Amino acid sequence: MAGATARVVSLCGLVALLTTATIFALAWPVFTHMRNQRIWYHHAEDPYLHDNTDLALVALGTLPLFLLLLGAGSAALQTVCSRAVAAGTHGHAQEDESRVAVAARLRRVLAVYVLRGLIVWPLPVLAAVVAHRLTGYQLDTPEPLERGSWPHALVEASPAAAVAIAVLLRLALSLAPAAAAGLGPRAALRRSWSLTWTRPGFARVLALALPLAALTAGTVRLATELCLPLRPVVRTLLEQATGNFFAAYYAGILAPVLVGVLVAAAVTLPLTFTAFAALHDHLRSARTRPLRAEDAPGVRGGP
């Protein structure tokens, strides 16, 4: 598992670096415009506050690429961890699965990620967009909703409610990637839902998810803080190589974040995926054990 984690994280880091470099190259006219504007304002002896709206649009447009990369790497690690749990629980050697079976399981896990994302995230995104359009401070007048009114307050609070619903849905479907080891995507989602929405199931999922989420957030923060010395190094090297301060500035911001995310992924994701795979196996076994006992010979209702 350690070797597979190192290979997956290293490959994802390399692909992320190449993707980021490509995006910077495609967005270079934006950086050039910022540099020219800065030179012009400096010549006119006026302060220059650069507008990063174009860069925000570029980042928003390229976000699906990084989400796809994160999903592919997570699916690969999930497959490895699920196989390790199956080998430890059922005694099957991990090498018994052929490459075709591993590839099929990887595709099922990826499909589960896509379906789960389509179920969980559209509601909070839609609520945030609607609330911004109806109550955002970009509106010059209180219309269409009067500020201070109950409709305005409800619409303004709707994103928080939508996020709470999304978190509950995400918890209910947290066992689906582990269930995809032997089921199709939709069947895996249904099994996760049925295992989680029980009193012991939800309590155990919540008890496992909260400390792992805190561990992941703390690891990302700590790793990013430790990598902050990369910021001036990257900024200086890139500015000397290109002569563009803004490209070097944003590259310096991204460098410690990218390294921190990769370090956190290598540390926390194998632990998280293994824990949820073991929990799925435990909850499934606990559900099927009484059924097997009822069907045993000599038991009431049995043959």
Side-chain angles (χ1 to χ4, degrees), residues 101-138:
V102 173
R105 176 182 291 187
L106 179 60
R107 288 193 297 269
R108 291 196 298 268
V109 174
L110 277 173
V112 164
Y113 283 165
V114 173
L115 290 178
R116 187 172 64 181
L118 292 176
I119 293 172
V120 172
W121 298 117
L123 178 61
V125 171
L126 180 61
V129 171
V130 172
H132 179 71
R133 289 185 176 275
L134 296 179
T135 64
Y137 286 99
Q138 81 281 357

Side-chain angles (χ1 to χ4, degrees), residues 215-247:
L215 175 64
T216 302
T219 305
V220 171
R221 179 63 183 272
L222 178 62
T224 303
E225 290 291 331
L226 293 177
C227 294
L228 284 181
L230 287 175
R231 182 172 294 176
V233 175
V234 172
R235 184 170 61 231
T236 301
L237 292 177
L238 192 57
E239 186 175 6
Q240 291 177 353
T242 63
N244 194 311
F245 166 79
F246 293 100

Side-chain angles (χ1 to χ4, degrees), residues 174-228:
S174 58
L175 301 178
L183 299 174
R186 288 182 293 180
L189 292 173
R190 288 194 297 268
R191 172 179 286 180
S192 178
W193 182 276
S194 63
L195 291 177
T196 303
W197 283 120
T198 59
R199 182 176 300 177
F202 186 79
R204 292 176 182 179
V205 168
L206 187 63
L208 187 62
L210 288 179
L212 288 176
L215 175 64
T216 302
T219 305
V220 171
R221 179 63 183 272
L222 178 62
T224 303
E225 290 291 331
L226 293 177
C227 294
L228 284 181

Side-chain angles (χ1 to χ4, degrees), residues 8 28 38 66 94 105 113 144 178 200 216 269 280 301:
V8 170
W28 202 258
R38 183 189 184 191
F66 291 97
Q94 297 188 35
R105 176 182 291 187
Y113 283 165
T216 302
L269 287 187
H280 165 263

Side-chain angles (χ1 to χ4, degrees), residues 128-149 152-153 155-157:
V129 171
V130 172
H132 179 71
R133 289 185 176 275
L134 296 179
T135 64
Y137 286 99
Q138 81 281 357
L139 298 175
D140 296 330
T141 64
E143 296 177 355
L145 295 177
E146 182 180 357
R147 291 189 176 96
S149 64
H152 183 279
V155 173
E156 195 174 27

